[in-house]
Amino acid sequence: MAEQVAHSPDTAGSQRPRRLTAEARKRSILKAARQAFIETGDMNGTTIKAIAERGGISEGVIYRHFESKDQLFYEAVVEPLREAVDELVAATEVVDLEEPLTPERQLQTMNGLYRQLISTLEEVLPLLGLVLFGDPKVGRRFYRKHFAVAMDRLADAWRDVEDRYGFEFESPDLSARAVMGIALVLAMESRHNDLFNRDRAVALISESTIKGFFPVIEPSRRRR
Amino acid sequence: MAEQVAHSPDTAGSQRPRRLTAEARKRSILKAARQAFIETGDMNGTTIKAIAERGGISEGVIYRHFESKDQLFYEAVVEPLREAVDELVAATEVVDLEEPLTPERQLQTMNGLYRQLISTLEEVLPLLGLVLFGDPKVGRRFYRKHFAVAMDRLADAWRDVEDRYGFEFESPDLSARAVMGIALVLAMESRHNDLFNRDRAVALISESTIKGFFPVIEPSRRRR
């Protein structure tokens, strides 16, 4: 079906909105919603009407795809944040599965994690600000249901890696929070400071993070 | 003059607003403004009228004390944040001046810094959200003029301490950002997670931060 629409000649002309598949329409609504929410900086202050205007569609079209503004906010703002964090966690979960973790690979992995974390956070910074610092009720819910949960999952993934080495990792929950906090400030720095040297920052911060927050990896002690 | 007003009997009765000194009036306007800004979550969306209503005064009274909404926003929101950071920097500047810094005192000091930083950030979190993530132009300006500057001053204060020991502190700018980021996430955790154990967090995080981000202090190498 999507194929067919894509291949059919555009008989509608440039005056009428291009026919989109349901999936593409949904995506374009989500994009318009995201921009509207960020611009207003507030969930409550952003109306479905404003989102419809920004997307050049009617409010009815929006309600055909989304039940409520709450759902739209969730899918446009909360969902991409959740996905971003999921990707980070997934990247950590495969550490040490393909080849044994050496101190060098541990450092490389931390480097990659920070690099990905900083880019992701920089990209979603306005959304993150919106959910964490906008409506206090939204902030509390998002923090507890998503942000804290993501950090706990990151901690679990690290604990799994450490388990394979037979180490006691005293506070992976705090390490995950430390890494997230550091990346958050570096994402702000990267966004606002034109002279920010990301390579230097990532290299030094990775080394310090491992030294301070992670147990020493000794490949010879590997359990598996 | 303030004395006189304070000592004069309250002839106005309880129906009319209590006569306040200029200073007290200004403080009460700032308080009302702060609440209004936080509630709206947005500088642009908060009117002088709304602030006047919240303070139970006329708009004219506000304009007698503040030139513009911009100035009011600055003094109500930006200024307390700046002061909070100043206090933190001041606390660091006296480290090692009274008695030599030992590794134990270094840890104690970091402990105290985190404790103060987390409480301060937790308290100003809504304001911080407002200036860092509200209007993007305000966010960029606040980050560059205040947040980054504060972290750089913190870094300078540390560099001074380290200088007295003749150490090379490779990246105090990044250490300051790391500490601020960690404290920021812990402030959110403290605010939103009712089970958050601050003592455990501060103890572990301080130790890890020093291990990872600070050079080892050897009192015997002290220069002064």
Side-chain angles (χ1 to χ4, degrees):
Chain A
M1 172 65 188
E3 278 289 303
Q4 225 176 338
V5 173
H7 286 288
S8 67
D10 187 358
T11 50
S14 59
Q15 290 306 304
R16 281 169 55 195
R18 202 155 50 86
R19 268 181 77 191
L20 298 173
T21 62
E23 194 47 46
R25 167 65 70 203
K26 227 182 140 173
R27 268 204 307 278
S28 89
I29 295 173
L30 286 172
K31 194 177 161 198
R34 208 152 30 235
Q35 289 170 337
F37 283 126
I38 290 177
E39 194 173 285
T40 324
D42 174 24
M43 185 183 80
N44 303 320
T46 311
T47 59
I48 290 279
K49 187 160 169 270
I51 295 168
E53 275 168 15
R54 180 175 281 274
I57 46 174
S58 73
E59 295 178 53
V61 172
I62 294 182
Y63 282 113
R64 221 172 295 146
H65 294 271
F66 300 92
E67 267 172 40
S68 61
K69 194 172 76 177
D70 265 13
Q71 197 208 336
L72 188 51
F73 181 77
Y74 190 88
E75 291 197 30
V77 177
V78 179
E79 197 59 23
L81 286 177
R82 208 186 49 69
E83 277 170 24
V85 174
D86 274 359
E87 279 172 31
L88 293 169
V89 174
T92 301
E93 279 164 353
V94 300
V95 167
D96 187 42
L97 285 185
E98 284 164 24
E99 36 176 332
L101 194 60
T102 57
E104 292 71 35
R105 276 195 75 228
Q106 190 187 24
L107 187 59
Q108 256 173 32
T109 306
M110 187 53 74
N111 228 286
L113 175 64
Y114 267 121
R115 206 168 285 279
Q116 193 186 345
L117 201 46
I118 294 169
S119 321
T120 305
L121 287 175
E122 188 180 352
E123 204 178 302
V124 300
L125 219 45
L127 297 183
L128 200 61
L130 198 59
V131 291
L132 281 179
F133 297 105
D135 184 326
K137 265 174 273 153
V138 173
R140 192 176 174 86
R141 204 174 56 205
F142 181 80
Y143 186 85
R144 295 166 75 135
K145 274 190 65 180
H146 300 286
F147 207 63
V149 167
M151 291 186 290
D152 288 337
R153 286 182 49 212
L154 198 58
D156 285 343
W158 286 336
R159 209 180 266 116
D160 285 346
V161 174
E162 303 300 329
D163 269 356
R164 296 201 276 275
Y165 286 89
F167 274 85
E168 283 281 324
F169 195 167
E170 195 178 6
S171 53
D173 57 330
L174 291 175
S175 298
R177 278 155 183 78
V179 166
M180 192 64 91
I182 292 169
L184 187 59
V185 167
L186 292 184
M188 283 193 256
E189 185 78 19
S190 176
R191 193 180 188 89
H192 296 308
N193 173 6
D194 304 326
L195 300 173
F196 177 62
N197 184 339
R198 184 180 298 209
D199 288 337
R200 166 184 176 265
V202 166
L204 288 168
I205 283 282
S206 298
E207 213 174 304
S208 293
T209 302
I210 288 182
K211 206 163 70 174
F213 290 89
F214 287 80
V216 179
I217 293 284
E218 291 171 42
S220 58
R221 291 189 51 180
R222 197 158 191 263
R223 272 199 175 156
R224 282 188 326 166
Chain B
M1 172 66 188
E3 279 288 305
Q4 225 177 338
V5 172
H7 286 289
S8 68
D10 188 358
T11 50
S14 59
Q15 291 306 304
R16 281 168 55 196
R18 201 156 50 85
R19 268 181 76 191
L20 297 173
T21 61
E23 194 46 47
R25 168 64 69 203
K26 227 182 140 175
R27 269 204 307 277
S28 89
I29 295 172
L30 286 172
K31 194 176 161 198
R34 206 151 33 233
Q35 289 170 337
F37 284 126
I38 289 177
E39 195 173 284
T40 324
D42 174 24
M43 185 183 81
N44 302 321
T46 310
T47 59
I48 289 279
K49 187 159 170 273
I51 295 168
E53 275 168 16
R54 179 175 282 273
I57 45 173
S58 72
E59 294 178 54
V61 172
I62 293 182
Y63 281 114
R64 220 173 295 147
H65 293 272
F66 300 91
E67 267 171 39
S68 61
K69 194 171 75 177
D70 265 14
Q71 198 208 335
L72 189 50
F73 180 77
Y74 189 88
E75 291 197 30
V77 177
V78 179
E79 197 59 23
L81 287 177
R82 207 185 49 68
E83 276 170 24
V85 173
D86 273 0
E87 278 171 32
L88 293 169
V89 173
T92 302
E93 279 164 351
V94 300
V95 167
D96 187 41
L97 285 185
E98 284 164 23
E99 36 175 332
L101 194 60
T102 58
E104 292 72 33
R105 276 196 72 228
Q106 190 187 26
L107 187 58
Q108 257 173 31
T109 307
M110 186 55 73
N111 229 285
L113 175 64
Y114 267 122
R115 206 168 285 277
Q116 193 185 344
L117 200 46
I118 294 169
S119 321
T120 305
L121 286 175
E122 187 181 351
E123 203 177 304
V124 299
L125 219 46
L127 298 182
L128 201 61
L130 198 60
V131 292
L132 281 179
F133 296 106
D135 184 326
K137 264 174 274 154
V138 173
R140 192 176 175 86
R141 204 174 55 204
F142 182 80
Y143 186 84
R144 295 167 75 136
K145 273 191 63 179
H146 300 286
F147 206 63
V149 167
M151 291 186 289
D152 288 336
R153 286 182 48 211
L154 198 57
D156 285 342
W158 286 336
R159 209 180 267 117
D160 286 346
V161 175
E162 302 302 328
D163 269 354
R164 297 202 275 275
Y165 287 89
F167 275 84
E168 283 282 322
F169 196 168
E170 195 178 5
S171 51
D173 57 328
L174 291 175
S175 297
R177 277 154 183 78
V179 166
M180 192 65 91
I182 291 168
L184 187 60
V185 167
L186 292 184
M188 283 193 258
E189 184 78 18
S190 176
R191 194 180 186 88
H192 297 308
N193 173 5
D194 304 327
L195 300 173
F196 178 62
N197 184 339
R198 185 181 296 209
D199 289 336
R200 167 184 177 262
V202 166
L204 288 167
I205 283 282
S206 297
E207 213 174 303
S208 292
T209 302
I210 288 182
K211 206 163 72 173
F213 290 90
F214 288 81
V216 178
I217 293 283
E218 291 172 41
S220 58
R221 291 189 50 181
R222 196 156 191 264
R223 272 198 177 156
R224 279 191 324 169

